[in-house]
Amino acid sequence: MIAEQCLFWLFATLACGGAISVAICQSVVRMAMSLIVCLASVSALFFLLHADFVGAVQLMVYVGGTIVLLIFGIMLTASAPFLKIRASPAEGFLAAGIGVFFLAVIAFTVAGISDLEWSSIDRNLSALTTPSDVTSGYNDSSSGNTTRPLALSFLGLRPDKGGNAPGYLLPFEIVSVHLLVVLIGAAYLARPKRRVSAEE
Amino acid sequence: MDDIGYTLSWYLRLAWLLPLAGFAVEVFAGYWSNRHSKTAAYLATGCIGAGFALSTAAFLCWGSHTDWEVFAASDSAGHAFLADHVESETDHGSAGEGSHAVAASHDESRQAVFSGTIYRLGTFGDLEITIDYYIDSLTLLMFMMVTLIATCIHVFAIGYMSDELTDEYVDHSAHTSDGQHVHRPGRFYRFFSFMSLFCFAMLGLVLAGNIFQVFVFWELVGICSFLLIGFYTERHSANVAANKAFIVNRVGDFGFIIGLMILWTYCGTFRFADSELDGHTQPGLFSMVRGSHGHIETHGEDVILNTELHDGHWTAPHDPERTIPYALLVVAGLGVFGGCIGKSAQFPLQTWLPDAMEGPTPVSALVHSATMVAAGVYLAGRFYPVFTTEVLLAIAYIGCITLFIAATIAVVATDIKRVLAYSTISQLGYMMLGIGLGGWAAGLFHLITHAFFKSLMFLCSGSVIHGCHHEQEMPKMGGLWRKMPWTAFTMLVGVIAISGLAIPFTSIAFSGYHSKDAIVATALAHMQLNPIHFLLFLTPLVTAGITAFYMFRLWFYTFTGKPRDEHVYEHCHESPMVMVAPLVLLSAFAAFCAVGGENGPLYNMISFSEPVGVGHDETPMGLTTDVALPSHGTIHEVHPLAGKVALLAAALGTITAALLYWFPMVDPGTIKRQFSGLHSFLVNKWRFDELYDVAFVRPTHSVARWCVNCDKYVFDGFLHSLARASVWVAVVDRKFDEGIIDGLVNLAGTATRAVGMSLSVFQTGRIRQYVMFIAVSVVALFALLFAFITKA
Amino acid sequence: MDQVSLSHLLWIGAILFVSGVVCMTTKRNGIGILMGVELVLNGANVNFVAFARYTQLGLDGQVVALFVIVLAAAEAAVALAIALNFYNNHHTIDVDRGDSLSG
């Protein structure tokens, strides 16, 4: 509980601080950096709010997609010459150290799981194919396990509500088509055109 | 009886309508013939000649029906030959017997009157407008006379108007604006179409059975006279003369209409004779006024009209149905006679006839000597029963004045046609005088004889004019008898006739002697009965002398002596046979139509139709005057004396003329110079034209000018001011429209634009600003919501 | 400290939203405005997920948050294309230069 609270306060501070600094910063690159921090913190907040899937999607789409897009945009529309992008060697060492630390954490996690547990995961997963367990998923949803219910609702089923509560099949389809159209449109809009000369 | 009336009416109807049919064809002759064709003339002559044949047939029919009583009835009043008069025989029966005989013959003549209705035009309340006929011996005589003379004149005109048989007629008396003579196509056919129309109108007048019909045809002859006088339309003088003729006639017709109105108001009918209506016999005008006894019933101030029928006699009922105030009857008579004054060119409306000589000579012969001007006298004779004594006296005086004035002017006139015109006026005065004095038959006798010799003389003058190539002034003629013997001889016949010359102590005389003699005798008898009206005898007597003087002056001046103008004499020639033959025929009539004088057939025919009461009663009559009209007996008594003095006067006039003009012993030029004042007064026609100009024409012109100015300045001024007001209103309206209404509309536009311009401040185009607005608006909206919506 | 409740998360969402709006209004750089838009959408997402956790909204909140994320990504793509076009036309990403629609 206390850990949750501390993590909550931490990530809340990071999110708000990042947001405010986006508003305050003058340089657009710094704004982009702050935005990354803010969006990542919001994803963490989602995790804390037992919305695992939404948090994961947030990380993937926003931080991984949108921010990249924004940075592309900044670079394409840069008016001032950029600084040198060559990283200094000091930063190389720092990055290497953090990399090693990460590697160690991941290796430790992977090594802690025995072969038996790896295979039991397989068995447990296949045992979960009975209809009665389909809706609930691997763990119950009270601890953030919302993937399966969300997916089922996208397919038009709402097991958590019972009865004949409508699902979100139609909005799902619409949004998918919408995405397609929008992306095609954006690609068309951003196509290379004859560059307008400077005097015009 | 009815069959005869029917037959007679049909003869005369055909004779009357044939010229109309001729007119209808001839008036379009310009389309179906060329200008060289004489067909129109032949058609016209044929129609009127057929009219003469029909009239003669009607006369024969009538005569045989009445067993030729007209020629058998010899009044015991004893109208003997002139020889008897010279012996001053006194055989004239008692007035009573005479009146009986005449009354008897008159009763017979009542049955010799045929009247009826040809066509009913319309009925307006009590008033019926119809086309009637009234046929007695006078009608038949007039028909024969008019058609015969018209036929002769038509034949003459074929020769006289032959100048018009061309495609280009040069009128030497009319000029265009640049001084050239007028060239125009010939109008031969049109002349004859007008003549046919005139004949139709004149015969309709003679045949008329009611006074309204007379008026209609009266006007129609006036129109024809207008058309014929103004035949040479390009001549200004001809147009003026035509206008003058018509307008002066109109003045007389004003009186005519007043008379008509009075008669209708009190008598309720226009008809002369009695008529049948629903089995009742309605009295005609003559019966109403005079009754069957022949005198006017007065009762105090009123005249009682005879509306009761006893045994075929009209008498006045005891309680009068219809009365007419005597004064109004006098006015009615004077009114109708006013028409006669205009038509017959009596004083004071005589000014138009001399100017009417502007028309071609055949017109003067037919219209202005024999027929139209005689229509006035004819009406005076026909309407005699309705005239009271005062009216007859007025007629007599007017005739007297007229004959004197005209004769004096004729003495100094130099245009051959003018002399004859004044002579016509003078002789018409004689006729009116005769009728006014009670000599009904005498006046009409003179009418018939005058028609013959005057038309003869006019045609002779036409022949002279034609032969002298349209020279009309006598001072340029002279000695023409060598070149134009036929014309000269026939003219002499006419001159002798009008002068009233006779071979003394015999009864051999031309027609004019007998008729003038009858009038003078009547005048003398009248003077004997009413000595106060002596002028009515002296004037015609003196004027008879003057007449002879100026007529012989004309003849001597034109045909004898040395030619005064070589050029005219050189080119003078006798007229062709087509023109001379009518002259000869007419001269025969002029000489011998009145053979037998007052016992002759002509006079008998006339007196056969004498109205009841003429020539019987010598009691002084009349409410305001006491005039006794002479009876037949009295007239016969004085006839010899009258004849002698008249002959004396005529002879004196003739000798004077011979002395002055034939073997000139006295130079007329010196006389003219000695009496130059009088001469100029006479040459200027007693200055009547100037008088009328000052009295009537100039005031009319000034009234017309005043009207023009009133119209131009007052009415037009009013209209212009209305127009200006409208324009002003329009200007104000425009200003209002442009200023206020457009201003309002523009204001709306300007205000909207201003608002828009002011709102465009918000359109900066800056995205950040728009986002700011959105944010601010959302905040404000939320603030409002939370401020005004309470927690639920 | 007290329990983490709904109101804390609503505060966070509000701060994110307001920062985003402020960023949108104040930045002259077009990309900066896009970042502001992302912040706004994230603030809304936080609200949704908070309500999904602490109220009866349940799964619906998370569904909507997913949709928002997807749509925001699409919108970011289009907006970037617009910004690139803007840059091509005006040779600058300064949005204040694009005021040709001013009245």
Side-chain angles (χ1 to χ4, degrees), chain B residues 157-182:
Chain B
I158 295 178
Y160 187 83
M161 300 299 292
S162 55
D163 281 352
E164 298 270 346
L165 283 171
T166 168
D167 285 315
E168 189 172 338
Y169 178 86
V170 179
D171 195 338
H172 293 285
S173 307
H175 301 270
T176 57
S177 51
D178 56 352
Q180 298 290 328
H181 288 308
V182 166

mmCIF file of all heavy atoms in Angstrom, chain B residues 157-182:
data_model
loop_
_atom_site.group_PDB
_atom_site.id
_atom_site.type_symbol
_atom_site.label_atom_id
_atom_site.label_comp_id
_atom_site.label_asym_id
_atom_site.label_seq_id
_atom_site.Cartn_x
_atom_site.Cartn_y
_atom_site.Cartn_z
ATOM 1 N N ALA B 157 -76.674 71.406 -119.917
ATOM 2 C CA ALA B 157 -75.429 71.248 -119.180
ATOM 3 C C ALA B 157 -74.500 70.246 -119.838
ATOM 4 O O ALA B 157 -73.276 70.320 -119.649
ATOM 5 C CB ALA B 157 -75.729 70.811 -117.744
ATOM 6 N N ILE B 158 -75.079 69.302 -120.595
ATOM 7 C CA ILE B 158 -74.198 68.357 -121.297
ATOM 8 C C ILE B 158 -73.266 69.137 -122.195
ATOM 9 O O ILE B 158 -72.070 68.828 -122.312
ATOM 10 C CB ILE B 158 -75.019 67.347 -122.120
ATOM 11 C CG1 ILE B 158 -75.857 66.470 -121.200
ATOM 12 C CG2 ILE B 158 -74.111 66.488 -122.972
ATOM 13 C CD1 ILE B 158 -76.729 65.483 -121.925
ATOM 14 N N GLY B 159 -73.824 70.198 -122.814
ATOM 15 C CA GLY B 159 -72.971 71.021 -123.665
ATOM 16 C C GLY B 159 -72.119 71.992 -122.867
ATOM 17 O O GLY B 159 -70.921 72.138 -123.101
ATOM 18 N N TYR B 160 -72.736 72.599 -121.864
ATOM 19 C CA TYR B 160 -72.026 73.654 -121.144
ATOM 20 C C TYR B 160 -70.852 73.109 -120.351
ATOM 21 O O TYR B 160 -69.791 73.737 -120.270
ATOM 22 C CB TYR B 160 -73.013 74.351 -120.199
ATOM 23 C CG TYR B 160 -72.460 75.564 -119.517
ATOM 24 C CD1 TYR B 160 -72.441 76.794 -120.156
ATOM 25 C CD2 TYR B 160 -71.948 75.494 -118.225
ATOM 26 C CE1 TYR B 160 -71.942 77.914 -119.535
ATOM 27 C CE2 TYR B 160 -71.449 76.611 -117.602
ATOM 28 C CZ TYR B 160 -71.446 77.813 -118.257
ATOM 29 O OH TYR B 160 -70.936 78.923 -117.643
ATOM 30 N N MET B 161 -71.034 71.948 -119.717
ATOM 31 C CA MET B 161 -69.987 71.402 -118.843
ATOM 32 C C MET B 161 -69.022 70.523 -119.617
ATOM 33 O O MET B 161 -68.212 69.827 -119.002
ATOM 34 C CB MET B 161 -70.611 70.580 -117.714
ATOM 35 C CG MET B 161 -71.548 71.324 -116.819
ATOM 36 S SD MET B 161 -70.807 72.699 -115.950
ATOM 37 C CE MET B 161 -69.703 71.863 -114.848
ATOM 38 N N SER B 162 -69.080 70.565 -120.941
ATOM 39 C CA SER B 162 -68.203 69.672 -121.713
ATOM 40 C C SER B 162 -66.738 70.023 -121.512
ATOM 41 O O SER B 162 -65.865 69.218 -121.824
ATOM 42 C CB SER B 162 -68.546 69.740 -123.200
ATOM 43 O OG SER B 162 -68.479 71.083 -123.632
ATOM 44 N N ASP B 163 -66.459 71.208 -120.989
ATOM 45 C CA ASP B 163 -65.076 71.554 -120.659
ATOM 46 C C ASP B 163 -64.477 70.565 -119.682
ATOM 47 O O ASP B 163 -63.267 70.360 -119.652
ATOM 48 C CB ASP B 163 -65.033 72.935 -119.970
ATOM 49 C CG ASP B 163 -65.155 74.044 -120.981
ATOM 50 O OD1 ASP B 163 -65.123 73.725 -122.188
ATOM 51 O OD2 ASP B 163 -65.288 75.200 -120.570
ATOM 52 N N GLU B 164 -65.356 69.974 -118.848
ATOM 53 C CA GLU B 164 -64.852 69.115 -117.776
ATOM 54 C C GLU B 164 -64.541 67.706 -118.256
ATOM 55 O O GLU B 164 -64.107 66.869 -117.470
ATOM 56 C CB GLU B 164 -65.903 69.023 -116.653
ATOM 57 C CG GLU B 164 -66.226 70.339 -115.986
ATOM 58 C CD GLU B 164 -65.318 70.607 -114.801
ATOM 59 O OE1 GLU B 164 -64.639 69.678 -114.364
ATOM 60 O OE2 GLU B 164 -65.295 71.745 -114.324
ATOM 61 N N LEU B 165 -64.780 67.454 -119.570
ATOM 62 C CA LEU B 165 -64.533 66.097 -120.062
ATOM 63 C C LEU B 165 -63.071 65.938 -120.415
ATOM 64 O O LEU B 165 -62.720 65.678 -121.553
ATOM 65 C CB LEU B 165 -65.390 65.841 -121.301
ATOM 66 C CG LEU B 165 -66.849 65.555 -121.030
ATOM 67 C CD1 LEU B 165 -67.607 65.541 -122.332
ATOM 68 C CD2 LEU B 165 -67.010 64.228 -120.331
ATOM 69 N N THR B 166 -62.216 66.120 -119.452
ATOM 70 C CA THR B 166 -60.805 66.046 -119.740
ATOM 71 C C THR B 166 -60.099 65.534 -118.500
ATOM 72 O O THR B 166 -60.636 65.620 -117.385
ATOM 73 C CB THR B 166 -60.271 67.423 -120.137
ATOM 74 O OG1 THR B 166 -58.839 67.368 -120.141
ATOM 75 C CG2 THR B 166 -60.674 68.472 -119.116
ATOM 76 N N ASP B 167 -58.909 65.048 -118.708
ATOM 77 C CA ASP B 167 -58.159 64.592 -117.545
ATOM 78 C C ASP B 167 -57.420 65.723 -116.864
ATOM 79 O O ASP B 167 -56.970 65.596 -115.749
ATOM 80 C CB ASP B 167 -57.147 63.509 -117.944
ATOM 81 C CG ASP B 167 -57.829 62.182 -118.200
ATOM 82 O OD1 ASP B 167 -58.685 61.801 -117.387
ATOM 83 O OD2 ASP B 167 -57.532 61.562 -119.228
ATOM 84 N N GLU B 168 -57.298 66.848 -117.589
ATOM 85 C CA GLU B 168 -56.638 67.985 -116.960
ATOM 86 C C GLU B 168 -57.392 69.241 -117.318
ATOM 87 O O GLU B 168 -57.343 69.698 -118.447
ATOM 88 C CB GLU B 168 -55.185 68.077 -117.413
ATOM 89 C CG GLU B 168 -54.438 69.126 -116.589
ATOM 90 C CD GLU B 168 -52.966 69.102 -116.886
ATOM 91 O OE1 GLU B 168 -52.493 68.053 -117.369
ATOM 92 O OE2 GLU B 168 -52.313 70.113 -116.684
ATOM 93 N N TYR B 169 -58.064 69.756 -116.359
ATOM 94 C CA TYR B 169 -58.841 70.974 -116.550
ATOM 95 C C TYR B 169 -58.068 72.115 -115.925
ATOM 96 O O TYR B 169 -57.615 72.016 -114.788
ATOM 97 C CB TYR B 169 -60.207 70.816 -115.876
ATOM 98 C CG TYR B 169 -61.092 72.032 -115.952
ATOM 99 C CD1 TYR B 169 -61.904 72.238 -117.047
ATOM 100 C CD2 TYR B 169 -61.118 72.951 -114.923
ATOM 101 C CE1 TYR B 169 -62.708 73.343 -117.124
ATOM 102 C CE2 TYR B 169 -61.925 74.054 -114.982
ATOM 103 C CZ TYR B 169 -62.724 74.255 -116.077
ATOM 104 O OH TYR B 169 -63.532 75.342 -116.153
ATOM 105 N N VAL B 170 -57.885 73.171 -116.683
ATOM 106 C CA VAL B 170 -57.133 74.315 -116.162
ATOM 107 C C VAL B 170 -58.126 75.354 -115.696
ATOM 108 O O VAL B 170 -58.941 75.836 -116.482
ATOM 109 C CB VAL B 170 -56.223 74.915 -117.246
ATOM 110 C CG1 VAL B 170 -55.469 76.103 -116.687
ATOM 111 C CG2 VAL B 170 -55.271 73.857 -117.753
ATOM 112 N N ASP B 171 -58.088 75.697 -114.433
ATOM 113 C CA ASP B 171 -59.039 76.646 -113.866
ATOM 114 C C ASP B 171 -58.365 78.021 -113.843
ATOM 115 O O ASP B 171 -57.430 78.249 -113.090
ATOM 116 C CB ASP B 171 -59.418 76.196 -112.456
ATOM 117 C CG ASP B 171 -60.655 76.903 -111.955
ATOM 118 O OD1 ASP B 171 -60.969 77.994 -112.489
ATOM 119 O OD2 ASP B 171 -61.294 76.390 -111.047
ATOM 120 N N HIS B 172 -58.859 78.936 -114.701
ATOM 121 C CA HIS B 172 -58.176 80.222 -114.790
ATOM 122 C C HIS B 172 -58.524 81.155 -113.653
ATOM 123 O O HIS B 172 -57.916 82.200 -113.506
ATOM 124 C CB HIS B 172 -58.522 80.889 -116.134
ATOM 125 C CG HIS B 172 -57.962 80.135 -117.294
ATOM 126 N ND1 HIS B 172 -56.629 80.162 -117.620
ATOM 127 C CD2 HIS B 172 -58.544 79.302 -118.176
ATOM 128 C CE1 HIS B 172 -56.424 79.395 -118.674
ATOM 129 N NE2 HIS B 172 -57.565 78.856 -119.025
ATOM 130 N N SER B 173 -59.493 80.798 -112.864
ATOM 131 C CA SER B 173 -59.861 81.697 -111.772
ATOM 132 C C SER B 173 -59.301 81.223 -110.439
ATOM 133 O O SER B 173 -59.526 81.842 -109.421
ATOM 134 C CB SER B 173 -61.386 81.779 -111.642
ATOM 135 O OG SER B 173 -61.939 82.118 -112.870
ATOM 136 N N ALA B 174 -58.627 80.118 -110.457
ATOM 137 C CA ALA B 174 -58.076 79.630 -109.196
ATOM 138 C C ALA B 174 -56.575 79.501 -109.344
ATOM 139 O O ALA B 174 -56.069 79.099 -110.387
ATOM 140 C CB ALA B 174 -58.682 78.275 -108.836
ATOM 141 N N HIS B 175 -55.860 79.885 -108.309
ATOM 142 C CA HIS B 175 -54.406 79.871 -108.394
ATOM 143 C C HIS B 175 -53.841 79.057 -107.252
ATOM 144 O O HIS B 175 -54.351 79.078 -106.151
ATOM 145 C CB HIS B 175 -53.867 81.315 -108.302
ATOM 146 C CG HIS B 175 -54.397 82.178 -109.390
ATOM 147 N ND1 HIS B 175 -53.759 82.317 -110.595
ATOM 148 C CD2 HIS B 175 -55.518 82.913 -109.487
ATOM 149 C CE1 HIS B 175 -54.458 83.130 -111.370
ATOM 150 N NE2 HIS B 175 -55.529 83.506 -110.720
ATOM 151 N N THR B 176 -52.758 78.379 -107.532
ATOM 152 C CA THR B 176 -52.045 77.696 -106.460
ATOM 153 C C THR B 176 -51.156 78.707 -105.740
ATOM 154 O O THR B 176 -51.086 79.873 -106.124
ATOM 155 C CB THR B 176 -51.176 76.562 -107.025
ATOM 156 O OG1 THR B 176 -50.287 77.126 -107.990
ATOM 157 C CG2 THR B 176 -52.031 75.511 -107.672
ATOM 158 N N SER B 177 -50.483 78.216 -104.718
ATOM 159 C CA SER B 177 -49.734 79.139 -103.868
ATOM 160 C C SER B 177 -48.574 79.794 -104.611
ATOM 161 O O SER B 177 -48.088 80.846 -104.211
ATOM 162 C CB SER B 177 -49.206 78.400 -102.634
ATOM 163 O OG SER B 177 -48.526 77.230 -103.043
ATOM 164 N N ASP B 178 -48.127 79.187 -105.706
ATOM 165 C CA ASP B 178 -47.025 79.833 -106.406
ATOM 166 C C ASP B 178 -47.479 80.554 -107.657
ATOM 167 O O ASP B 178 -46.709 80.769 -108.581
ATOM 168 C CB ASP B 178 -45.940 78.791 -106.728
ATOM 169 C CG ASP B 178 -46.516 77.625 -107.517
ATOM 170 O OD1 ASP B 178 -47.747 77.566 -107.658
ATOM 171 O OD2 ASP B 178 -45.744 76.783 -107.991
ATOM 172 N N GLY B 179 -48.780 80.881 -107.686
ATOM 173 C CA GLY B 179 -49.258 81.741 -108.746
ATOM 174 C C GLY B 179 -49.687 81.031 -110.015
ATOM 175 O O GLY B 179 -50.187 81.664 -110.933
ATOM 176 N N GLN B 180 -49.509 79.742 -110.087
ATOM 177 C CA GLN B 180 -49.920 79.020 -111.301
ATOM 178 C C GLN B 180 -51.417 78.775 -111.278
ATOM 179 O O GLN B 180 -52.032 78.730 -110.216
ATOM 180 C CB GLN B 180 -49.213 77.648 -111.338
ATOM 181 C CG GLN B 180 -47.722 77.747 -111.402
ATOM 182 C CD GLN B 180 -47.290 78.270 -112.749
ATOM 183 O OE1 GLN B 180 -47.938 78.009 -113.761
ATOM 184 N NE2 GLN B 180 -46.216 79.018 -112.762
ATOM 185 N N HIS B 181 -51.976 78.593 -112.472
ATOM 186 C CA HIS B 181 -53.384 78.169 -112.529
ATOM 187 C C HIS B 181 -53.494 76.737 -112.036
ATOM 188 O O HIS B 181 -52.573 75.946 -112.184
ATOM 189 C CB HIS B 181 -53.882 78.236 -113.976
ATOM 190 C CG HIS B 181 -54.079 79.637 -114.456
ATOM 191 N ND1 HIS B 181 -54.824 80.562 -113.772
ATOM 192 C CD2 HIS B 181 -53.621 80.268 -115.548
ATOM 193 C CE1 HIS B 181 -54.799 81.707 -114.429
ATOM 194 N NE2 HIS B 181 -54.073 81.562 -115.510
ATOM 195 N N VAL B 182 -54.626 76.436 -111.479
ATOM 196 C CA VAL B 182 -54.821 75.098 -110.925
ATOM 197 C C VAL B 182 -55.108 74.110 -112.050
ATOM 198 O O VAL B 182 -55.950 74.362 -112.910
ATOM 199 C CB VAL B 182 -56.000 75.124 -109.932
ATOM 200 C CG1 VAL B 182 -56.446 73.729 -109.592
ATOM 201 C CG2 VAL B 182 -55.595 75.881 -108.685
#
